[in-house]
Amino acid sequence: MKEPPEKYIKSLQLDLFSQFVTNNKKGVSNTVEIWESIPKYFLTPAQVTKLRTKAGHADPYKFEYMYEGVSCLVKIQPALIEQSNGTYKAFFPGVTEELVEESLKKFLTIQNHGIHDPDKAETWVRFSLSMLHRELKSIGRTRSRDEIKHAIQVMNKCNISLFRNNKEIWSGSLLQDLVTVGREEYIENTDSLHVSRLPLFISHAINQLGYRQFNYNRLMSCNEQLTRWIYKKLINRYRQANILNNYHFLYTDLKSSGLLQRETERKNRQKVLSALNELVEKNIVAKYETDQRKTGRTITNVKYTIYPSQEFISEQKAANKRSYQSEKISDNLFVDKTL
């Protein structure tokens, strides 16, 4: 297991990751598109129950999806968590783990909570269970300390393998090399400080400025996972949002989220409409239109056209300005070093 750096590392890359164009720094964070395009948190408790054997174990779960026109597959090895009776039970990451990850990425932007080594492309985040409890409570996503502790264990003990065109390109846990700082206990004390290494995708994004500012408070206020997934896609893809420039995507595009696994396609399409309605409710989208594609009487696809809200347009402009400023600072630093 790797150990976090013993000494503070001055990192311009982490400084840029932590600087935002906003009047409310607490309300924004960063999204890393390539990492968040990997489906990880889509299995429901009911699905997990069906995947478990009588002994409580489960085989890895495989899910195929498309990313930028390339065939991809994610294989999730569940975490085996010891129960009070001494047996072990399999758990897959889900909604709570998704929310904890967003909180940890937010902590990474706070001074003294993030450590980034640009030479090794390693990024570490410091946190405690109490910090996570307070953060989730403050944004209306309250979880008990026991639920948060369980989520951290699942994120540390599960394993994600990513394949592109049938070739494995990465494998690792959601929270790697989890250690407790200054305490003998592992994770029992809710106030003890922990440090964990984040996946390589995030470290590379910090090094290469491959991330984007977004409204963290608005994302975390969304009740439905699919709403949050679509919102992230809009943030990363609909960069030039304005009142004269709409954005569209297909129902089949949403399949890559892993979140459309209901019994029938009709119920899946209803779930999409529910998510789009929440986007309107949260003032991310002003309105949307649907265009059903049919073969005979069968709906084979649906085109969704999005019209942005004024707030979303303003937030995208701020994200664009921040990206430009960060790139300019980075370019100037490179010029200085070459001179």
Side-chain angles (χ1 to χ4, degrees):
M1 184 175 71
K2 291 188 176 182
E3 293 287 341
E6 293 183 2
K7 297 181 179 179
Y8 173 74
I9 298 174
K10 177 63 177 175
S11 169
L12 172 67
Q13 290 88 341
L14 185 59
D15 289 344
L16 292 175
F17 186 80
S18 305
Q19 294 174 8
F20 300 100
V21 174
T22 179
N23 293 324
N24 178 22
K25 186 175 178 180
K26 291 183 178 180
V28 294
S29 187
N30 296 298
T31 171
V32 178
E33 182 183 12
I34 189 171
W35 169 245
E36 294 173 55
S37 69
I38 304 170
K40 301 177 287 288
Y41 303 114
F42 55 87
L43 288 173
T44 66
Q47 286 175 307
V48 173
T49 298
K50 290 181 179 179
L51 291 173
R52 292 192 186 110
T53 65
K54 290 183 179 181
H57 298 184
D59 291 333
Y61 188 88
K62 297 179 181 179
F63 180 77
E64 296 180 1
Y65 68 102
M66 298 293 293
Y67 179 67
E68 296 187 334
V70 178
S71 176
C72 298
L73 180 143
V74 62
K75 181 171 72 173
I76 306 176
Q77 174 76 47
L80 282 178
I81 307 296
E82 187 174 7
Q83 304 300 290
S84 58
N85 62 2
T87 63
Y88 285 82
K89 195 173 184 178
F91 291 90
F92 290 85
V95 175
T96 299
E97 286 75 19
E98 175 200 355
L99 298 174
V100 166
E101 184 196 300
E102 288 297 337
S103 298
L104 291 176
K105 291 206 297 283
K106 178 61 180 172
F107 291 167
L108 191 60
T109 68
I110 301 173
Q111 188 175 14
N112 299 323
H113 287 290
I115 309 168
H116 178 71
D117 187 335
D119 295 328
K120 295 181 180 179
E122 290 181 2
T123 305
W124 303 75
V125 62
R126 291 190 179 102
F127 64 94
S128 70
L129 303 187
S130 293
M131 284 172 56
L132 285 167
H133 174 75
R134 290 192 297 270
E135 175 65 19
L136 292 173
K137 184 178 181 180
S138 71
I139 53 178
R141 296 293 155 202
T142 302
R143 296 295 191 276
S144 70
R145 286 173 174 80
D146 284 342
E147 289 174 318
I148 294 169
K149 172 186 170 182
H150 180 267
I152 293 297
Q153 290 176 325
V154 171
M155 295 172 77
N156 176 239
K157 295 179 183 300
C158 75
N159 190 80
I160 309 291
S161 297
L162 177 62
F163 298 79
R164 296 188 72 178
N165 289 326
N166 297 318
K167 181 181 179 181
E168 185 174 8
I169 62 170
W170 181 80
S171 181
S173 59
L174 298 167
L175 287 179
Q176 305 174 64
D177 304 321
L178 178 67
V179 296
T180 302
V181 179
R183 302 270 184 170
E184 292 184 0
E185 305 96 308
Y186 173 55
I187 201 169
E188 298 302 324
N189 191 311
T190 59
D191 292 316
S192 61
L193 194 63
H194 309 286
V195 60
S196 184
R197 185 165 58 91
L198 296 174
L200 191 63
F201 291 91
I202 295 175
S203 300
H204 276 302
I206 293 174
N207 268 1
Q208 300 169 11
L209 309 184
Y211 48 84
R212 187 165 176 80
Q213 173 179 314
F214 76 98
N215 191 319
Y216 166 81
N217 284 347
R218 199 186 303 276
L219 176 87
M220 298 295 263
S221 74
C222 295
N223 295 314
E224 300 186 26
Q225 277 187 287
L226 186 59
T227 306
R228 295 193 290 269
W229 192 88
I230 296 174
Y231 184 27
K232 287 280 189 73
K233 284 295 181 184
L234 293 175
I235 292 163
N236 285 299
R237 296 300 177 95
Y238 193 13
R239 299 190 176 200
Q240 303 305 322
N242 62 67
I243 57 174
L244 301 176
N245 176 26
N246 59 41
Y247 182 84
H248 68 267
F249 53 86
L250 297 174
Y251 170 77
T252 48
D253 298 330
L254 301 181
K255 288 284 191 175
S256 290
S257 68
L259 297 169
L260 296 177
Q261 299 190 60
R262 290 186 170 178
E263 312 89 81
T264 65
E265 291 302 309
R266 182 178 62 84
K267 289 185 177 181
N268 282 331
R269 291 193 297 269
Q270 289 174 347
K271 185 174 182 178
V272 174
L273 293 180
S274 179
L276 292 175
N277 287 333
E278 188 173 25
L279 287 172
V280 174
E281 177 190 333
K282 298 299 181 182
N283 203 21
I284 298 164
V285 169
K287 65 177 182 177
Y288 66 89
E289 297 172 352
T290 63
D291 178 20
Q292 294 182 346
R293 311 292 173 82
K294 294 184 177 181
T295 300
R297 299 178 63 181
T298 303
I299 299 174
T300 56
N301 214 337
V302 183
K303 178 183 177 181
Y304 303 99
T305 302
I306 298 294
Y307 297 87
S309 70
Q310 190 58 55
E311 286 192 22
F312 181 76
I313 292 172
S314 299
E315 289 164 4
Q316 290 293 77
K317 287 181 177 179
N320 292 339
K321 183 177 180 181
R322 188 264 196 130
S323 295
Y324 172 76
Q325 291 177 348
S326 296
E327 289 172 2
K328 190 173 181 180
I329 293 172
S330 180
D331 289 344
N332 288 340
L333 178 69
F334 179 76
V335 170
D336 289 343
K337 283 187 174 181
T338 57
L339 293 175

